[in-house]
C-alpha cells in the first residue's frame, strides 16, 4: 500500500498535510474559511461555509478524488444557531445519491471562525 501526502506544509506553516491517501482512502484535514492567500474570510455562516466547502472540494479534487467519493464528513460549528445556514450551503455540494455519512458538533474553534470541515473519501 502506498501513502501519498498532498498540500504539505511550507516552512513556518502549520505542521500537517491537507490530505493523505492510503489504500484507496483519502483523509482530508480540517478545512476552514481561508482564502487562497491563507487569510481568514470573516462574515456570516453562509459566507464562511461556502469558502470552507470550496476549500474541501479543492483539496479533494487536487488529490485525484471527487465530491462523489466522499463517504464521511465531520463538521464543527461554533454556534448551533448556524446549523440551518450551514446545511443550506453544504447540501449544494452533494448529489442526494452520493450523500456521505456526517457528524456535526458544536465546538469553540480557532481564530474566531464559525466552521471547520474534515472528510474521508474512498475510491477503488
Amino acid at each position: 500500500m502506498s501513502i501519498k501526502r498532498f498540500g504539505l506544509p511550507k516552512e513556518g506553516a502549520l505542521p500537517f498535510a491537507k490530505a493523505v491517501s492510503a489504500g484507496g482512502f483519502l483523509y482530508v484535514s480540517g478545512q476552514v474559511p481561508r482564502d487562497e492567500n491563507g487569510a481568514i474570510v470573516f462574515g456570516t455562516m453562509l459566507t464562511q461555509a461556502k469558502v470552507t466547502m470550496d476549500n474541501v472540494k479543492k483539496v479533494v479534487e487536487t488529490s485525484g478524488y471527487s465530491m462523489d467519493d466522499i463517504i464521511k464528513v465531520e463538521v464543527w460549528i461554533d454556534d448551533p444557531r448556524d446549523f440551518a445556514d450551514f446545511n443550506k450551503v453544504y447540501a449544494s455540494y452533494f448529489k442526494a445519491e452520493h450523500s456521505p455519512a456526517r457528524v456535526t458538533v458544536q465546538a469553540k474553534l480557532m481564530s474566531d471562525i464559525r466552521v471547520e470541515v474534515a472528510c474521508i473519501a474512498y475510491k477503488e
Side-chain angles (χ1 to χ4, degrees):
M1 171 175 63
S2 69
I3 296 173
K4 294 181 184 173
R5 290 170 174 81
F6 303 92
L8 292 173
K10 296 177 182 166
E11 188 173 329
L14 296 173
F16 58 84
K18 288 186 179 182
V20 176
S21 68
F25 289 93
L26 178 71
Y27 301 90
V28 177
S29 295
Q31 299 298 301
V32 296
R34 290 190 183 273
D35 67 18
E36 59 277 350
N37 298 315
I40 295 171
V41 176
F42 293 102
T44 67
M45 173 55 86
L46 294 171
T47 299
Q48 288 201 356
K50 175 149 181 24
V51 173
T52 299
M53 290 304 298
D54 284 348
N55 289 342
V56 168
K57 183 176 181 182
K58 181 178 179 182
V59 172
V60 167
E61 291 178 350
T62 300
S63 302
Y65 290 72
S66 76
M67 295 298 282
D68 291 347
D69 297 323
I70 295 175
I71 59 172
K72 172 80 184 290
V73 177
E74 297 172 351
V75 180
W76 296 269
I77 59 174
D78 187 56
D79 186 337
R81 294 172 292 191
D82 285 334
F83 185 73
D85 282 345
F86 175 78
N87 280 326
K88 287 177 191 173
V89 174
Y90 177 88
S92 70
Y93 286 82
F94 297 100
K95 300 173 194 151
E97 65 271 18
H98 293 286
S99 294
R102 185 178 113 181
V103 61
T104 304
V105 296
Q106 178 187 7
K108 180 66 181 150
L109 300 172
M110 306 300 289
S111 305
D112 296 323
I113 60 174
R114 295 175 180 265
V115 63
E116 183 168 349
V117 177
C119 67
I120 301 170
Y122 177 79
K123 69 178 184 174
E124 295 181 39

